[in-house]
Amino acid sequence: MSQKAIVVGSGFAGLATATALAQKGFHVTILEKNHQAGGRARAFQTEGYHFDMGPSWYWMPDVFETYFQNFGKKVSDYYTLDRLDPSYRVYFGDRDFVDLPAGTEAVAALFEKIEPGSGEKLLQFMEDSAYKYEVGINDLVYKPGRSVLEFLDLRIAKGLVQLDLLKSMRKYVHSHFKNPRLQQLMEFPILFLGATPQNTPALYSLMNYADIDGGTWFPRGGMHEIVKAMVSLAEEMGVEIKLDHEVTGLKMTGKRISAVNTKQGEFQADLVVNAADYHHFEQEILPPSHRQYSPEYWDKRAMAPSSLLFYLGVNKKVEGILHHTLFFDEDFDKHAEEIYTHPQWPSKPLFYVSATSKTDPNAAPEGKENVFLLMPLAPGLEDSEEQREKYYHIMMDRLESHTGQEIRSHVHYKKSYAMQDFMSDYHAFKGNAYGLANTLKQTAILKPALKSKKVANLYYAGQLTTPGPGVPPSLISGLVAAAEVAKDTKKN
Ligand SMILES: Cc1cc2nc3c(=O)[nH]c(=O)nc-3n(C[C@H](O)[C@H](O)[C@H](O)COP(=O)(O)OP(=O)(O)OC[C@H]3O[C@@H](n4cnc5c(N)ncnc54)[C@H](O)[C@@H]3O)c2cc1C
């Protein structure tokens, strides 16, 4: 009889855990609270528009390829990828923007035009980032973070200086580029880690490699196609996915979980991998005597931001924006301070606009656009309809002014999404959008642990544990958690 593994949550982490455990011979059941799989990467359709609800940037295509290869498959067995060129547009003011072309040479040429001498510096920067990407994505992210000994591997130890673990991204970028626009372009990928450039080790310049060399890709049909692919693979491997099955409690037998409770019934478990928000499971589902962390511990964690999102159906083509458009026309440091240091609704926020209908004709009715607005926010803020509306107009004022057109009167579908929704849909701690920030103090063994110290058969995966937030890391965390389960149960 194969052992019964229960995976809580069907985001990238849960789906990756489930497929990897099924491959190792476990009988796997995923219990998912919501009606659709995918967690933060769910999607919805309305009035002919398609909206991906969360992630929109497809970076690190190699991680997805490696994932499917583990199971004898290829990405192209499930979906088709197109590389975007330009990768994205960045606005600095009215009709004042830079388009980042695809490919390192082209970006170097662009840098050279903006700051003479910086093209060559970019090439050097990319060489160093390539090394960090190689070590970071092929070695470091696959470490479970259970002991410092994992990091005493010769290759990593040798590379420590080269990996720039102790220098901040801010210092590192500023030592290469003087032009503020170039500095902003090079600091932008750090936003994906949920932390500030001052607080993030320069190791993460590997994100620049992912951005500039790896490229920005789009799965035809939208980001939810990745979820559909992972669900297909999981089902092919015999994983049972139970939607609308919220986990509400556990049956403990000594130091082990023997069953998992949902409103629909009890599920026997030989082991459990929680891939739902870590804090929720640990503080609200586990009985107090089995919790490893205190409420104070959680309160001190630096969470990645929450977000205010708008999904808009616009009944005309919006000029001046691309598939991905960033608005860096205000001071990034001020906005970061209002997220991390003095949490409050921001005075002059940066924001991001996505319109996948620029690439995908099926994402909106002909002649129309599916527009997605995202503004990062401090987690835990008071969330109200009035605040959401106020910031809708702040973003729209700037979008209209910078692109030189009227858009608001063309919006005929509008839905907002923010802290309260993250909490009610995902049980997100403080309404965080993408987990725990990747600061130096919250890296590897300093993150909430992937294996419980108090419950013998409980593991964790997802964006609040190693390696961190983002689609590729969450997916990797599922593989790492499954590998640890296999090691502990001798199913390698
Ligand atoms: C707005 C937004 C934009 C983003 N943009 C990008 C991007 O462009 N690129 C990128 O790489 N990353 C991006 N991210 C981050 C990325 O989406 C996440 O890091 C990743 O999807 C997290 O996956 P996960 O499996 O850890 O968690 P989740 O996707 O949250 O999955 C957890 C699942 O657990 C379920 N669950 C919770 N409680 C229970 C319970 N009690 N019982 C059963 N199930 C439960 C939830 O319903 C959910 O389905 C973005 C995130 C957001 C929110």
Side-chain angles (χ1 to χ4, degrees), residues 26-302:
F26 290 91
H27 180 275
V28 188
T29 305
I30 298 182
L31 300 175
E32 165 57 50
K33 165 186 183 294
N34 290 326
H35 189 60
Q36 189 186 85
R40 261 85 166 170
R42 288 177 302 153
F44 71 95
Q45 280 82 24
T46 184
E47 299 174 30
Y49 297 98
H50 171 95
F51 292 104
D52 281 316
M53 292 182 68
S56 53
W57 298 77
Y58 191 105
W59 278 10
M60 306 186 181
D62 48 313
V63 170
F64 298 90
E65 204 57 74
T66 305
Y67 170 73
F68 285 105
Q69 268 169 18
N70 288 333
F71 306 97
K73 304 281 183 184
K74 302 188 290 295
V75 161
S76 59
D77 293 336
Y78 297 97
Y79 55 89
T80 304
L81 280 176
D82 293 311
R83 184 166 183 173
L84 302 182
D85 187 7
S87 303
Y88 49 92
R89 171 167 290 181
V90 183
Y91 270 96
F92 296 100
D94 282 354
R95 293 183 190 74
D96 178 10
F97 60 81
V98 168
D99 286 348
L100 204 88
T104 307
E105 292 295 331
V107 176
L110 169 75
F111 272 42
E112 190 60 32
K113 266 195 224 149
I114 298 176
E115 180 184 319
S118 67
E120 199 46 50
K121 283 192 188 151
L122 179 78
L123 296 178
Q124 181 55 52
F125 190 103
M126 293 305 289
E127 226 173 87
D128 296 343
S129 311
Y131 174 76
K132 289 172 188 164
Y133 188 86
E134 232 273 292
V135 179
I137 298 300
N138 293 328
D139 276 351
L140 287 175
V141 291
Y142 286 94
K143 303 278 177 208
R146 286 171 78 171
S147 151
V148 280
L149 298 177
E150 294 161 18
F151 300 92
L152 293 184
D153 174 292
L154 235 195
R155 200 162 99 93
I156 295 172
K158 256 206 281 178
L160 271 184
V161 178
Q162 233 173 317
L163 288 174
D164 282 319
L165 262 174
L166 300 174
K167 192 185 285 175
S168 78
M169 254 319 266
R170 169 60 53 88
K171 278 206 174 119
Y172 187 65
V173 166
H174 284 219
S175 70
H176 284 78
F177 309 103
K178 301 295 166 222
N179 182 288
R181 290 185 177 193
L182 298 189
Q183 291 172 344
Q184 259 180 310
L185 283 173
M186 297 302 278
E187 286 183 355
F188 146 66
I190 294 306
L191 297 180
F192 284 107
L193 307 173
T196 62
Q198 295 93 320
N199 238 338
T200 304
L203 161 69
Y204 287 107
S205 67
L206 67 85
M207 293 293 285
N208 298 102
Y209 181 79
D211 171 7
I212 294 171
D213 196 277
T216 300
W217 298 76
F218 179 65
R220 282 186 206 165
M223 293 293 278
H224 189 67
E225 291 301 309
I226 318 166
V227 173
K228 288 201 218 157
M230 291 175 74
V231 166
S232 291
L233 176 64
E235 287 175 343
E236 283 167 47
M237 300 183 69
V239 173
E240 277 186 88
I241 304 179
K242 305 266 186 202
L243 302 173
D244 298 312
H245 275 64
E246 175 167 357
V247 172
T248 50
L250 303 167
K251 188 165 158 193
M252 306 297 302
T253 307
K255 283 185 77 177
R256 299 179 72 81
I257 299 173
S258 50
V260 175
N261 299 317
T262 70
K263 282 189 191 129
Q264 285 73 14
E266 190 176 90
F267 291 79
Q268 300 304 310
D270 292 310
L271 66 100
V272 174
V273 181
N274 171 62
D277 274 45
Y278 199 131
H279 167 273
H280 159 66
F281 189 90
E282 220 254 340
Q283 296 287 299
E284 291 162 15
I285 294 183
L286 261 186
S289 55
H290 292 83
R291 293 177 192 161
Q292 190 169 334
Y293 303 110
S294 64
E296 294 72 38
Y297 167 89
W298 281 108
D299 235 21
K300 286 191 185 135
R301 292 312 90 195

Side-chain angles (χ1 to χ4, degrees), residues 345-374:
W345 282 82
S347 41
K348 290 180 175 172
L350 306 187
F351 66 102
Y352 156 65
V353 176
S354 171
T356 61
S357 47
K358 291 286 179 200
T359 311
D360 180 356
N362 298 320
E366 207 181 332
K368 301 182 181 179
E369 217 91 85
N370 68 340
V371 173
F372 164 99
L373 307 181
L374 184 158

